[in-house]
Amino acid sequence: MNFEEFQNSARLYVIGALEPEELQEFETARKQYGTAAEDFIQQYYGLHEAFALSLKPAKASTAIKDKLMAMVRERQGQGGSASK
């Protein structure tokens, strides 16, 4: 694996998307490229974290909320508690 291929694989490595055989090849290249590899991986971890922190949580749809509340009401109507 040349360094450009390593860089492409590093992107997938950071998000956990390498297949087992790809991971083994990646780890071999990681050792081969040493500090340059580690620096590149850390750079991508930083980008990955910044991206994750920039995301806004998705709002639950009204249908999901309605279904959940119906389930709670049904359990309460059966004389049970919502924690069962």
Side-chain angles (χ1 to χ4, degrees):
M1 173 183 295
N2 64 39
F3 196 70
E4 185 176 343
E5 292 168 331
F6 175 83
Q7 290 172 317
N8 290 330
S9 294
R11 294 174 179 108
L12 297 173
Y13 172 79
V14 167
I15 62 170
L18 288 178
E19 297 294 327
E21 62 277 355
E22 294 171 321
L23 182 59
Q24 192 172 37
E25 184 180 1
F26 178 81
E27 290 295 347
T28 300
R30 184 178 184 173
K31 289 176 187 171
Q32 176 187 350
Y33 294 118
T35 304
E38 296 305 319
D39 291 346
F40 196 81
I41 291 169
Q42 288 308 311
Q43 176 185 359
Y44 271 96
Y45 271 123
L47 291 172
H48 181 275
E49 290 171 7
F51 176 72
L53 291 172
S54 73
L55 297 175
K56 294 182 181 179
K59 292 185 179 179
S61 73
T62 303
I64 292 172
K65 287 180 185 177
D66 291 344
K67 185 174 181 177
L68 178 61
M69 292 309 296
M71 291 169 62
V72 170
R73 284 190 295 275
E74 181 181 326
R75 282 192 178 187
Q76 288 175 341
Q78 294 173 354
S81 69
S83 64
K84 269 189 176 176

